[in-house]
Each structure stands twice: as C-alpha cells, then as structure tokens.
C-alpha cells in the first residue's frame, strides 16, 4: 500500500480560511498541536477560527521534540477529551508528532505547516527523536495527512532561516534518490527521481531570490516554498520507500547524536550531510561531477546563510571522540548509508569528514 499524497490540499494565500468548511465537515473536536512560542499567534488564530465554527477545540504544545515522552502525553490528552482529529500547526517536529499520534489513534490528521522548512506536512512518515533531539528512527505511517493546508500568509511569518533549511532538505532529494534508486526498474520511481531533478533546478534558479526577496508578487518565493513544502513531499509519495534517502540523511541522523547548546534545523544539518555525501561519491564512486556539484551548492548555501561544515553546526569533530561517534552512528546496521551503490566503512566516513573539516578550518 502506498499513500501518495494528502487527500485534500489547500494552497495559496488564505488557504486556511478556505479550508474551514472542509475541516468542519471532517471534525467536531480537534486538538491543535504546536510547539514554539513564535507561532503562538497563528495557533491562537486557528483556535479562534475553529471555535467560531462551533467546534470543541483544545490545544497542546510539545515540550521537547517529536519524542515518545511528548507523544504519549498528547495521546492521553486526546483520549481523555475524546478529540476526533489532530491539527498539527508548526514545523517538521510538530507535523511529524501530529501525524504519528493520529496514526496511532486512528483519527485524521490535518497538517498546517507554519514554515517551508520541510515537506513533513505532506508525507506519510514521522521521524522520532529523543527529548534531547537525537534521531532514533523513522516510522512509515498508514497514510498522508487527510488535509494539508499550505497557507502562504502563514508561511510568510516564519523566519527566513526556516526557508533556507527547507531548500537544503529539498535539494537533497535529487542527490539522494538519484544515487540510490536510478537502477530500479519501476516507472513511478524513475519519474519521482526526475521530478526531484526539476525540483533541484527550480531551487537553484529561484532559491536565492526567494530568500532575499519580497513575499508578495514574487513568483520565486511562491515557487520555492511550494517546492520545499509540496513537491518534495510528492517525490516521497510517488517514489515511496524505494526513492530513498542516503548519506545526507544518514549523516544528519548521526550529527544529531551529539548534543549541543544551540539546536540547528533539520535541513541545516542535512545540507552539511549532502556536501559530505558528494565528497564520499567522489572518493569512493569516482563521481567526477561531485566536486562541481559541491562548488555549485556551496555558492547557494553561502547566499542562504546555511552552515557548510559540522564545525558551523557547533560541533568540533576533533574533540570528545565526536568524529568517532558520528562515524559509528552513520554506519550502524540499520543506516540509510547502505543504500549507496558502493561499499562504505566507518573509516571512509572518518576520512571524508576529517578531510573536509580540516580543509575548511584552513581556508
Ligand atoms: Zn529531510
């Protein structure tokens, strides 16, 4: 079974207002799930709008991350109050928690992304972390959200850093899916890979203009946020689990194991993982284009103020066995790193990261 997309999608300015009649048909007692205080105003608006539709509404915020502690606490609230849906309004962690909880309780999830930082509003997948933000595993869900509301007015309120993060995460789709799945003889997977290439091209063309430009009357901004929040999700939906993540996400997952005082966004870490994946391809798979891709990506990433080294993520790999820990987790038995079409050992990861970080410190 494959869930390709949300059942209904509302997109554009005032998509939220347009979705209200549809939402009131689906649910009588939703729980609004959120997290950060920066998005409190938007969630208050959502709360009031739903109350005005005579729905019995309640809200709850994640305390930590998309972690089992928060998930079981929110599940209890839903069961105690007989809520019949979850409205997940926030970034990737909130969307992933909302989808996971709705899936467990067999109630619909309505996703309302409040930034363009991920495609989590679309997909039938949740990433589970510890309370401290260390990646544990991803869980395939039975279906994509019932309704996705991608309101451009909401997305406009998000810090530009979230857009940069979304761009890095969406760029990774092409580099990861094309190397892991290009030999799979499944038409849909091949088509998904090609969509991810067009998606990458669009981000290379429009990403910087979107990041630096206005919101209104800026087709680059609209195209970019929809590329990050919608098309990237579609690639996952059509390609399914065969259209896989690879080293960029495996390295992301490993980097999250090191707890740092400053938290970085998912896509910010994936972007660094992507550069390291390309280095691996150059070193181990004789990919002659990898260096050119790295240089092309570095230009864009600098313009988007994205970190480009693990050092810039606040981790010195040469201290506290950090390099060893990252390589160990990257090469754990269940790692996505093994979807790469060439052999990978822990020493390769150590070598590529050490070279990369050393070179960066010098330059
Ligand atoms: Zn991702």
């Amino acid at each position: 079974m494959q869930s390709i997309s949300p059942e209904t999608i509302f997109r554009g300015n005032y998509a939220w207002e347009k979705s209200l009649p549809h939402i009131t048909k689906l649910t009588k007692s939703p729980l609004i799930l959120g997290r950060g205080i920066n998005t409190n105003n938007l969630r208050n608006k959502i709360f009031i709008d739903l109350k005005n539709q005579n729905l019995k509404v309640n809200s709850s915020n994640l305390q930590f991350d998309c972690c089992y502690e928060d998930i079981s606490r929110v599940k209890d609230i839903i069961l105690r109050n007989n809520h019949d849906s979850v409205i997940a309004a926030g970034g990737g962690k909130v969307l992933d928690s909302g989808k996971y909880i709705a899936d467990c309780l067999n109630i619909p999830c309505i996703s309302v992304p409040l930034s363009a930082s991920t495609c989590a509003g679309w997909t039938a997948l949740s990433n589970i972390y510890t309370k401290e933000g260390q990646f544990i595993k991803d869980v395939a869900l039975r279906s994509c959200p019932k309704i996705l509301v991608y309101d451009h007015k909401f997305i406009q309120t998000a810090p530009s850093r979230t857009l940069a993060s979304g761009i890095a995460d969406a760029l990774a789709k092409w580099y990861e899916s094309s190397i892991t799945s290009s030999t799979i003889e499944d038409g849909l997977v091949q088509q998904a890979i090609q969509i991810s290439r067009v998606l990458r091209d669009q981000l290379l063309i429009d990403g910087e203009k979107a990041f630096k430009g206005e919101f209104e009357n800026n087709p680059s901004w609209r195209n970019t946020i929809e590329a990050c929040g919608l098309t990237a999700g579609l690639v996952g939906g059509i390609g399914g689990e065969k259209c896989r993540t690879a080293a960029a996400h495996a390295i992301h997952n490993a980097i999250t194991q090191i707890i740092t005082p400053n938290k970085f966004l998912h896509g910010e870490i994936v972007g660094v993982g992507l550069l390291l994946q390309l280095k691996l391809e150059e070193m181990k798979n004789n990919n002659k284009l990898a260096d050119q891709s790295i240089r092309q990506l570095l230009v864009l990433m600098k313009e988007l103020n994205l970190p480009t080294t693990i050092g810039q993520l606040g981790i010195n790999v040469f201290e506290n066995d950090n390099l060893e820990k990252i390589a160990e987790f990257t090469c754990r038995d269940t790692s996505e790193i093994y979807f790469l079409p060439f052999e990978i050992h822990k020493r390769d990861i150590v070598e590529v990261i050490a070279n990369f970080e050393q070179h960066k410190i010098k330059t």
Side-chain angles (χ1 to χ4, degrees):
M1 205 191 76
Q2 188 173 354
S3 179
I4 292 177
S5 80
E7 212 170 275
T8 312
I9 297 160
F10 293 88
R11 52 189 270 251
N13 288 339
Y14 307 107
W16 167 249
E17 281 79 3
K18 288 175 202 153
S19 73
L20 278 171
H22 205 80
I23 291 176
T24 48
K25 264 187 230 151
L26 178 72
T27 174
K28 297 298 165 221
S29 175
L31 177 86
I32 302 168
L33 184 64
R35 183 163 76 159
I37 47 163
N38 297 337
T39 45
N40 265 353
N41 283 347
L42 286 177
R43 269 192 303 280
N44 281 339
K45 174 189 163 45
I46 290 171
F47 186 93
I48 292 163
D49 286 348
L50 293 170
K51 267 238 166 299
N52 288 339
Q53 302 284 326
N54 294 322
L55 300 188
K56 186 176 152 261
V57 203
N58 204 340
S59 66
S60 176
N61 281 349
L62 297 181
Q63 273 173 16
F64 309 103
D65 213 303
C66 182
C67 62
Y68 289 118
E69 289 81 355
D70 271 323
I71 286 167
S72 70
R73 188 178 52 81
V74 175
K75 262 197 215 164
D76 283 347
I77 296 173
I78 293 175
L79 290 172
R80 261 203 320 274
N81 297 288
N82 278 320
H83 290 296
D84 62 2
S85 72
V86 181
I87 298 184
K93 304 297 173 79
V94 169
L95 299 167
D96 274 6
S97 312
K99 290 184 295 182
Y100 184 86
I101 293 164
D103 190 82
C104 291
L105 300 175
N106 217 359
I107 56 176
C109 177
I110 297 160
S111 60
V112 188
L114 300 183
S115 78
S117 62
T118 76
C119 60
W122 182 293
T123 54
L125 200 71
S126 290
N127 287 334
I128 309 291
Y129 295 83
T130 66
K131 330 208 283 262
E132 289 79 23
Q134 298 163 295
F135 177 86
I136 301 176
K137 62 173 181 177
D138 51 42
V139 181
L141 308 174
R142 278 170 291 181
S143 69
C144 296
K146 191 90 173 161
I147 303 176
L148 163 59
V149 184
Y150 205 68
D151 192 322
H152 294 189
K153 290 281 171 198
F154 288 179
I155 312 276
Q156 279 176 15
T157 66
S160 56
R161 180 182 170 189
T162 59
L163 178 62
S165 172
I167 292 172
D169 197 29
L171 279 169
K173 290 264 180 244
W174 159 254
Y175 298 95
E176 294 194 290
S177 68
S178 60
I179 189 157
T180 58
S181 311
S182 59
T183 56
I184 293 173
E185 284 184 30
D186 178 326
L188 276 187
V189 173
Q190 289 311 317
Q191 289 142 27
I193 294 171
Q194 290 314 313
I195 296 173
S196 74
R197 185 179 52 76
V198 178
L199 168 68
R200 178 208 56 179
D201 292 348
Q202 181 117 49
L203 294 172
L204 290 175
I205 293 166
D206 280 330
E208 190 186 334
K209 278 186 238 158
F211 182 75
K212 293 182 175 167
E214 311 237 312
F215 303 127
E216 302 295 344
N217 304 319
N218 179 358
S220 294
W221 185 80
R222 282 200 302 275
N223 288 342
T224 302
I225 61 152
E226 298 215 314
C228 299
L230 306 181
T231 319
L234 178 67
V235 170
I238 297 180
E241 60 183 15
K242 290 197 196 99
C243 208
R244 277 163 158 162
T245 54
H249 275 81
I251 294 170
H252 158 278
N253 298 342
I255 291 173
T256 65
Q257 302 308 309
I258 317 277
I259 297 171
T260 53
N262 292 323
K263 290 268 169 250
F264 284 83
L265 301 172
H266 173 81
E268 292 174 329
I269 307 172
V270 170
V272 175
L274 178 52
L275 297 174
L276 289 163
Q277 173 180 319
L278 286 162
K279 276 276 164 210
L280 273 177
E281 288 182 46
E282 187 182 32
M283 185 175 93
K284 299 281 295 182
N285 205 32
N286 200 23
N287 178 350
K288 301 213 166 49
L289 277 175
D291 192 52
Q292 202 179 359
S293 300
I294 290 173
R295 278 185 277 131
Q296 187 180 30
L297 287 173
L298 277 175
V299 172
L300 177 64
M301 288 169 78
K302 293 227 164 85
E303 292 301 330
L304 301 182
N305 284 335
L306 281 164
T308 55
T309 62
I310 299 179
Q312 287 172 13
L313 296 170
I315 298 165
N316 183 341
V317 296
F318 304 110
E319 280 175 1
N320 306 327
D321 279 335
N322 284 339
L323 182 50
E324 185 69 17
K325 285 180 205 156
I326 291 170
E328 183 81 46
F329 198 90
T330 304
C331 295
R332 67 186 183 146
D333 289 347
T334 53
S335 174
E336 292 91 336
I337 198 90
Y338 301 116
F339 298 148
L340 290 174
F342 49 90
E343 231 177 275
I344 281 284
H345 302 283
K346 220 175 91 179
R347 61 174 183 274
D348 302 320
I349 303 294
V350 169
E351 189 185 334
V352 84
I353 293 179
N355 277 338
F356 195 71
E357 298 285 316
Q358 238 153 17
H359 175 72
K360 288 288 160 190
I361 287 167
K362 274 190 229 134
T363 49

